[in-house]
Amino acid sequence: MTTGADVRDILELTGGENDGPITKKDLINSDKKKSKKTTETLTFKRPEGMHREVYALLYSDKKDAPPLLPSDTTQGYRTVKAKLGCKKVRPWKWMPFTNPARRDGAIFHHWRRVAEEGKDYPFARFNKTVQVPVYSEQEYQMHLHDDGWTKAETDHLFDLCKRFDLRFVVVHDRYDHQQYRKRSVEDLKERYYSICGKLTKVRAPSGTDPKIYIFDAGHERRRKEQLEKLFNRTPEQVAEEEYLIQELRKIENRKKEREKKAQDLQKLIKAADTTTELRRAEKRVSKKKLPQKRETEKPAVPETAGIKFPDFKSAGVTLRSQRMKLPSSVGQKKIKAIEQILMEQGVDLNPMPTEEIVQMFNELRSDLVLLYELKQAHSNCEYEQQMLRHRYEALLKASGGGGGVLGSGLATTIGELGAANSGGAVFARG
């Protein structure tokens, strides 16, 4: 016959320690006590010669074998079964309470634990009120007097601010516009914050510089006017604005591209000037017949001019013909253009790689690349100049012969492009 002990054993209900009221720890951490006992009894020692990492793979912190499948062993509210035991639940009581936020003395009732009887209402800490300053008659007459505001109206404003916790929209709604002048929300804010700033400055100890909040009523009015205009736009105006923004972005992108092309053109012109000066310096040195100092006194070609050939300074044996190999930074179009010009001029594509030939051949190809880039820049400038000229002529026809400011600006741009083209053409011919 089944006894009470058997029933408690089946339901995992035991006596002794489970007597008394149940607590939150018993519901959540019921398995931790058992795990501590089991971990104390089980003792495993790492065998000698086994590394710590290998031993950690064999046993976990609970000294259990590692699981074959992922499992959730976390304790807490995810536990499937709450092990209540034989403890008694904490008693609850229907008791009255008052809310400190109310001043009418209203009494409410709710369920609460008996142990918490007599304590304050827990949500009273969220009752935050705004400290509205209070001024005296003497302070008002000395520091706060304003011709546009009477003391009665100022007192009415501060009373509403205190009642509605500086919610100026509500203050404006409850303002007595029949007895006093009609004020806007910005007027109420300006008067309130100006008084607060003056009181803070007057009441501050001597020698201190208090922080005063300044409310800019004019800026707030303009901001609201702009928001109202933005809100009252028609769909046609919105579409026009989006179109203008896209056109502005296109103009800015074209401007950046034009500035970048101008910078690249200036670099090419500067590189051509530098290369010309280097050639003249080499001729002067050769005329003085100082071959022993040629290598030391010869200035190197700058990186921006033509091709930058790599220097082979590594240890070991190298072929001089490797110095004639074009670097990977040179594109295929430039390589084909160089080969075509060399074939037209009757120059061998693979000459005998002596010291002097290698140097002169590399300089020749560098000058050819510079010439190729100058020609490209010159053709681009001519294309842009022609396009702007057509636009200028079309605008002149549309305006009836008077271009105005726009025509003069286009004419200036065309003139600048023409000057740049002429400079590029001179260096290309040089």
Side-chain angles (χ1 to χ4, degrees), residues 209-226:
D209 189 12
K211 295 182 179 180
I212 299 174
Y213 175 74
I214 300 175
F215 177 73
D216 192 353
H219 174 75
E220 186 69 12
R221 293 188 186 96
R222 292 190 299 270
R223 186 183 69 85
K224 288 188 176 180
E225 288 177 1
Q226 293 295 331

Side-chain angles (χ1 to χ4, degrees), residues 16 59 92 99 114 125 130 134 139 188 219 265 369 383 395 398 417 424 429:
Y59 298 100
W92 290 67
N99 189 353
V114 177
R125 64 180 183 272
V130 180
V134 181
E139 287 177 338
L188 301 179
H219 174 75
L265 182 60
V369 169
Y383 174 75
L395 288 173
L417 282 174
R429 289 194 297 271

Side-chain angles (χ1 to χ4, degrees), residues 263-273 304 306 369-370 373-375 377 427:
Q263 292 177 0
D264 295 341
L265 182 60
Q266 291 296 328
K267 288 180 180 179
L268 291 175
I269 295 173
K270 187 178 180 180
D273 291 337
T304 56
V369 169
L370 181 59
E373 293 176 352
L374 284 171
K375 285 183 177 181
F427 286 109

Side-chain angles (χ1 to χ4, degrees), residues 221-393:
R221 293 188 186 96
R222 292 190 299 270
R223 186 183 69 85
K224 288 188 176 180
E225 288 177 1
Q226 293 295 331
L227 285 176
E228 188 175 358
K229 290 179 181 179
L230 188 67
F231 181 76
N232 293 330
R233 290 180 305 168
T234 60
E236 292 78 10
Q237 292 175 344
V238 175
E240 183 181 1
E241 183 179 357
E242 293 178 354
Y243 172 75
L244 292 176
I245 291 174
Q246 292 178 0
E247 292 298 321
L248 178 62
R249 290 175 181 172
K250 292 179 181 178
I251 292 172
E252 291 178 352
N253 293 333
R254 286 197 295 266
K255 182 180 178 182
K256 291 180 181 179
E257 292 177 359
R258 191 162 54 247
E259 291 176 353
K260 185 179 179 182
K261 289 180 180 179
Q263 292 177 0
D264 295 341
L265 182 60
Q266 291 296 328
K267 288 180 180 179
L268 291 175
I269 295 173
K270 187 178 180 180
D273 291 337
T274 307
T275 307
T276 306
E277 292 177 0
L278 290 176
R279 297 293 181 270
R280 292 175 181 176
E282 288 178 2
K283 291 179 180 179
R284 292 171 186 171
V285 173
S286 61
K287 288 180 180 179
K288 291 181 181 180
K289 296 181 180 180
L290 296 175
Q292 64 276 10
K293 295 184 180 180
R294 181 177 181 181
E295 295 182 359
T296 58
E297 295 181 357
K298 178 191 174 184
V301 179
E303 295 183 3
T304 56
I307 305 172
K308 175 64 177 178
F309 288 92
D311 297 331
F312 293 92
K313 296 182 179 180
S314 60
V317 180
T318 57
L319 296 175
R320 194 182 291 116
S321 59
Q322 292 181 356
R323 295 167 54 186
M324 298 169 56
K325 186 177 179 181
L326 291 172
S328 58
S329 59
V330 183
Q332 293 293 330
K333 291 184 178 179
K334 293 182 180 180
I335 294 175
K336 291 181 179 179
I338 292 172
E339 293 177 354
Q340 184 177 0
I341 296 174
L342 291 177
M343 292 174 62
E344 290 177 357
Q345 299 298 327
V347 181
D348 190 5
L349 299 180
N350 295 313
M352 180 65 67
T354 61
E355 182 69 26
E356 187 175 2
I357 291 177
V358 168
Q359 182 179 352
M360 296 181 66
F361 188 64
N362 289 343
E363 291 177 356
L364 175 62
R365 291 186 294 177
S366 179
D367 292 342
L368 292 177
V369 169
L370 181 59
L371 177 63
Y372 175 77
E373 293 176 352
L374 284 171
K375 285 183 177 181
Q376 277 191 336
H378 177 65
S379 61
N380 292 335
C381 290
E382 282 187 345
Y383 174 75
E384 291 183 1
Q385 183 182 7
Q386 191 70 18
M387 182 178 63
L388 288 174
R389 183 177 289 108
H390 290 318
R391 290 177 59 188
Y392 176 64
E393 293 175 355

